[in-house]
Amino acid sequence: MDNTTDRVITIHPNSKRHTHTFIWLGCIALFIFWLISLFLWQTFKIQLIFLISATLVVILIGILKCLEPGTSFFITPKMIIYCHRNGQWTLPWQDIIRFGELKAYVQGEHIQLPYVGIKLNNLEHIASNISPRLANKLIHEQQELLILAIANKEVDFDGDHSVINFEPYTLNDIIYKGPIAAWLHRSEQLAKAYGYHLYLPESSLDRNLNHFLTLLKKCHQYTIVNGPY
């Protein structure tokens, strides 16, 4: 990184790729199947219903892709900003201890999981700026990580609370409730299993997972040496 303090690195999600292709292909296919149905509906009624339904699904996928933010991360000398369809969070560099890849034991071997992990020295800042809607969404998106940790006996399974714990969470004398409290409990569970509090999915990146990890480490080192401002 250079010494320009207003430099911003933007990361665009892979999930936005081929958005218009999905919509156009779906619309063209739907038009074709509609024309065919005008002449052959009685003969191929079941097949046409299936094909039309499939094209509607393709169009819906394209529309959902359009709703995703065009930029998933803004990386600045001050902080990281994560943008999601359900909200965003900001994280100052000084709250970060380290970044790392996630590995887990799956079917007899250790494999790299499609996430970049972030270990924090405290959860205070992110707990105060994450929206309940995004916190709730992250709980469900990271469910597979918890299930894998339970399967590997890295998290104790004690009933429903191992899935989603909505008990209030106290952090520096501030009591969090609802989805944010549940997300904080989940972050604590995953930290015990994998050693990280935040998990950045590969689908939110526009580059190789390891390349992104290297970028974050370089940016973090830059702020350690030069300061966040």
Side-chain angles (χ1 to χ4, degrees):
M1 295 180 65
D2 59 28
N3 294 323
T4 305
T5 57
D6 62 350
R7 178 177 178 182
V8 177
I9 300 172
T10 57
I11 305 296
H12 308 285
N14 274 326
S15 58
K16 290 286 287 186
R17 290 183 177 179
H18 311 303
T19 297
H20 296 97
T21 301
F22 272 91
I23 295 176
W24 278 109
L25 284 178
C27 290
I28 292 171
L30 182 63
F31 178 72
I32 292 172
F33 295 140
W34 174 74
L35 285 179
I36 294 174
S37 69
L38 294 178
F39 304 98
L40 302 173
W41 177 257
Q42 295 300 326
T43 305
F44 300 104
K45 183 177 181 179
I46 296 177
Q47 293 90 334
L48 286 169
I49 290 175
F50 173 79
L51 291 171
I52 291 172
S53 299
T55 56
L56 290 175
V57 170
V58 171
I59 294 172
L60 178 61
I61 291 173
I63 293 173
L64 291 176
K65 283 177 173 285
C66 282
L67 296 176
E68 295 290 335
T71 301
S72 51
F73 293 95
F74 293 93
I75 302 174
T76 79
K78 294 183 179 181
M79 66 183 69
I80 302 174
I81 303 172
Y82 174 54
C83 301
H84 189 283
R85 181 161 54 94
N86 295 94
Q88 68 177 41
W89 52 249
T90 62
L91 185 64
W93 289 103
Q94 58 266 30
D95 284 359
I96 299 170
I97 296 177
R98 64 185 176 91
F99 301 95
E101 60 184 26
L102 262 68
K103 289 189 176 181
Y105 195 69
V106 180
Q107 296 182 348
E109 61 179 337
H110 282 89
I111 65 168
Q112 183 175 350
L113 301 178
Y115 295 90
V116 169
I118 304 179
K119 183 176 179 61
L120 305 177
N121 53 40
N122 70 80
L123 292 166
E124 184 176 358
H125 180 87
I126 197 164
S128 66
N129 75 75
I130 191 172
S131 68
R133 188 181 177 198
L134 177 57
N136 183 65
K137 187 65 176 179
L138 292 179
I139 290 171
H140 294 285
E141 287 183 353
Q142 296 167 359
Q143 189 75 3
E144 60 180 10
L145 290 175
L146 180 65
I147 293 173
L148 183 58
I150 293 173
N152 290 333
K153 299 185 175 4
E154 293 170 329
V155 173
D156 295 329
F157 182 77
D158 57 1
D160 291 340
H161 280 184
S162 286
V163 181
I164 300 180
N165 183 358
F166 283 105
E167 293 294 323
Y169 190 101
T170 303
L171 186 63
N172 295 332
D173 297 326
I174 300 176
I175 299 175
Y176 293 91
K177 298 180 180 180
I180 294 179
W183 178 75
L184 290 169
H185 283 296
R186 172 62 55 82
S187 295
E188 192 176 76
Q189 287 178 313
L190 295 179
K192 291 179 181 178
Y194 302 103
Y196 302 100
H197 298 94
L198 295 176
Y199 300 87
L200 312 181
E202 188 174 25
S203 60
S204 65
L205 309 178
D206 56 9
R207 63 198 68 197
N208 179 277
L209 198 69
N210 291 324
H211 290 170
F212 183 64
L213 180 58
T214 299
L215 171 66
L216 291 179
K217 288 180 177 179
K218 287 181 178 179
C219 293
H220 191 215
Q221 182 62 31
Y222 174 86
T223 61
I224 291 174
V225 174
N226 299 279
Y229 302 102

